[in-house]
Amino acid sequence: MGYMGKDELGLSGGLLCLILLLSAVIVSAASSANSSDQYRRFLLDNGLGRTPPMGWNSWNHFHCNINEDLIKQTADAMVSTGLASLGYEYINLDDCWAEATRDYLGNLVPKRSTFPSGIKSVADYVHAKGLKLGIYSDAGTRTCSKKQPGSLGHEYQDAKTFASWGVDYLKYDNCEDTHGLSPKKRYPIMTDALLKAGRPIFFSICEWGKENPATWARSLGNSWRTTGDIKDNWFSMTSLADKNDRWASYAGPGGWNDPDMLEVGNGGMTTEEYRAHFSIWALAKAPLLIGCDVRSMDKTTYELLSNKEVIAVNQDKLGVQGKKVTSSYGLEVWAGPLSDYKVAVILWNRSLSKAKVTAYWSDIGLKPGTIVDARDLWAHSTESSVSGKISAYLDPHACKMYVLTPTYHPTS
């Protein structure tokens, strides 16, 4: 059908504009009403990641210095410390677990000097603890360390291998020779391979945010990196938090923005900085993947990582990523809705001097006149009948995290 002008339709310009405006409103309303259904339609249909994954990854602390004893001892520690019972279930190998070359059939081979029992044996051990095993590969011909083969050109073979070993999670990196192919071409192949491998495997797309994967990876993976690699310092952590925040609207049950793993406990930041790190990652519905040595973590590290109330924000069934809502001279408010009409709020002082930070109801989506109980998630205390705003005096780099539970809703 060709284009019909306004005269052919018998409409004045003003009436036509009105009809077009009303049509836009109707489409917008329909889109809003069906947004959750549409979102689900674009998600990877493997049934995994209904809440952000929780667990441990070897890279941040150990890099290539990994072996099967470390993995088994880490699984033991996750259980004995009680972290496993809090939801930390994945024990994930990162780079350097494989031999430098494939076998004569083209299969990946566990490094004999460090994983002499094989990955299946390690997976069996981890599973016996009630935990899950994750593994690492790359969408290029070599991994980032250049010490083991990547999966480009071997996606279906490798996916079947991982499934046969009992792997539950795949971190899929973006290094080395990629034959000039865009991630948008390479990652879907592994998605299809995993779906056909015969075992549910959480797919963590580690594309580093190069081509804005939040806009295209929801149908391909259960999480997607929105940033480069984290480093164990204040500047790295805060800059990644900001970069990840840009994509908040794209996260939801089944698919999550990933600003990289946790550095809590590795020693490069202060306790208050680590508290902010963990709080922001939890609010942002980021994967909570511990990156320290859980076998020897100190009491402070354990108390940060084991805060049930903060974890509950991350694992909230509504699955809406919280985001930065106000920022002025380093004084920030981050907030997001939770189930049962609750709101999670972080007051964060990123400046170099002590300051008062305030969240006003208008900033965080509460109507004027709403009265709440304010639960301080780090002090484990509750202030009743709070209205209009919530404030705190904070030391440099410190934060407060609250869950606000409305006790009175205004009628208008």
Side-chain angles (χ1 to χ4, degrees), residues 383-398:
E383 182 179 356
S384 300
S385 302
V386 179
S387 181
K389 64 182 180 180
I390 188 165
S391 304
Y393 286 94
L394 299 171
D395 290 329
H397 297 183

Side-chain angles (χ1 to χ4, degrees), residues 17 28 30 62 89 98 122 144 176 188 200 204 243 262 270 308 331 334 337 354 364 386:
C17 288
S28 176
F62 295 98
E89 62 177 346
V122 174
C144 293
E176 296 312 309
S204 170
K243 290 175 182 176
L262 295 166
T270 67
K308 295 180 182 180
L331 308 181
W334 294 59
K354 188 169 184 176
I364 61 176
V386 179

Side-chain angles (χ1 to χ4, degrees), residues 25-38:
V25 171
I26 292 169
V27 169
S28 176
S31 175
S32 177
N34 295 320
S35 60
S36 61
D37 291 336
Q38 291 174 352

Side-chain angles (χ1 to χ4, degrees), residues 155-221:
E155 292 88 350
Y156 291 90
Q157 183 176 15
D158 291 353
K160 288 180 180 179
T161 296
F162 299 150
S164 72
W165 288 343
V167 166
D168 305 290
Y169 184 115
L170 173 64
K171 176 183 174 182
Y172 202 45
D173 222 332
N174 192 32
C175 279
E176 296 312 309
D177 184 5
T178 59
H179 295 176
L181 295 172
S182 163
K184 296 177 185 178
K185 298 288 187 182
R186 289 178 281 116
Y187 280 89
I189 303 172
M190 182 55 84
T191 300
D192 188 58
L194 292 174
L195 290 173
K196 294 175 179 176
R199 180 181 181 83
I201 297 177
F202 185 104
F203 191 25
S204 170
I205 292 176
C206 187
E207 183 264 6
W208 321 319
K210 291 290 186 179
E211 294 190 24
N212 302 334
T215 63
W216 52 264
R218 289 183 295 172
S219 63
L220 304 179

Side-chain angles (χ1 to χ4, degrees), residues 138-402:
D138 193 284
T141 58
R142 304 293 295 179
T143 62
C144 293
S145 70
K146 303 183 183 180
K147 294 184 177 181
Q148 70 179 62
S151 291
L152 185 62
H154 292 266
E155 292 88 350
Y156 291 90
Q157 183 176 15
D158 291 353
K160 288 180 180 179
T161 296
F162 299 150
S164 72
W165 288 343
V167 166
D168 305 290
Y169 184 115
L170 173 64
K171 176 183 174 182
Y172 202 45
D173 222 332
N174 192 32
C175 279
E176 296 312 309
D177 184 5
T178 59
H179 295 176
L181 295 172
S182 163
K184 296 177 185 178
K185 298 288 187 182
R186 289 178 281 116
Y187 280 89
I189 303 172
M190 182 55 84
T191 300
D192 188 58
L194 292 174
L195 290 173
K196 294 175 179 176
R199 180 181 181 83
I201 297 177
F202 185 104
F203 191 25
S204 170
I205 292 176
C206 187
E207 183 264 6
W208 321 319
K210 291 290 186 179
E211 294 190 24
N212 302 334
T215 63
W216 52 264
R218 289 183 295 172
S219 63
L220 304 179
N222 299 111
S223 66
W224 44 85
R225 280 277 293 279
T226 53
T227 69
D229 288 357
I230 194 170
K231 293 177 181 169
D232 187 19
N233 62 66
W234 169 256
F235 174 78
S236 174
M237 183 271 287
T238 55
S239 64
L240 266 56
D242 291 339
K243 290 175 182 176
N244 184 66
D245 185 54
R246 176 184 176 189
W247 306 106
S249 63
Y250 291 88
W256 308 101
N257 292 316
D258 178 6
D260 206 7
M261 300 166 291
L262 295 166
E263 290 283 7
V264 178
N266 281 329
M269 288 184 260
T270 67
T271 297
E272 289 304 325
E273 290 169 347
Y274 279 140
R275 192 189 317 277
H277 177 20
F278 191 67
S279 298
I280 293 293
W281 261 237
L283 182 82
K285 303 299 189 290
L288 296 183
L289 297 175
I290 297 170
C292 68
D293 187 349
V294 296
R295 303 171 304 171
S296 59
M297 60 183 166
D298 60 26
K299 180 180 178 182
T300 298
T301 297
Y302 176 75
E303 288 176 350
L304 292 174
L305 294 172
S306 64
N307 188 317
K308 295 180 182 180
E309 296 186 81
V310 176
I311 291 170
V313 170
N314 179 260
Q315 297 291 299
D316 182 75
K317 62 185 179 182
L318 190 63
V320 174
Q321 179 173 328
K323 61 181 300 181
K324 187 189 302 189
V325 295
T326 68
S327 179
S328 178
Y329 301 102
L331 308 181
E332 297 185 352
V333 176
W334 294 59
L338 302 174
S339 55
D340 300 322
Y341 306 102
K342 297 178 182 180
V343 178
V345 179
I346 294 174
L347 308 180
W348 194 9
N349 180 8
R350 288 169 62 166
S351 77
L352 296 176
S353 57
K354 188 169 184 176
K356 183 181 181 181
V357 183
T358 299
Y360 295 93
W361 277 197
S362 58
D363 297 327
I364 61 176
L366 291 176
K367 291 182 179 181
T370 302
I371 299 174
V372 306
D373 287 344
R375 177 68 175 177
D376 185 326
L377 305 190
W378 289 107
H380 303 296
S381 61
T382 302
E383 182 179 356
S384 300
S385 302
V386 179
S387 181
K389 64 182 180 180
I390 188 165
S391 304
Y393 286 94
L394 299 171
D395 290 329
H397 297 183
C399 76
K400 283 278 193 178
M401 188 172 188
Y402 302 93

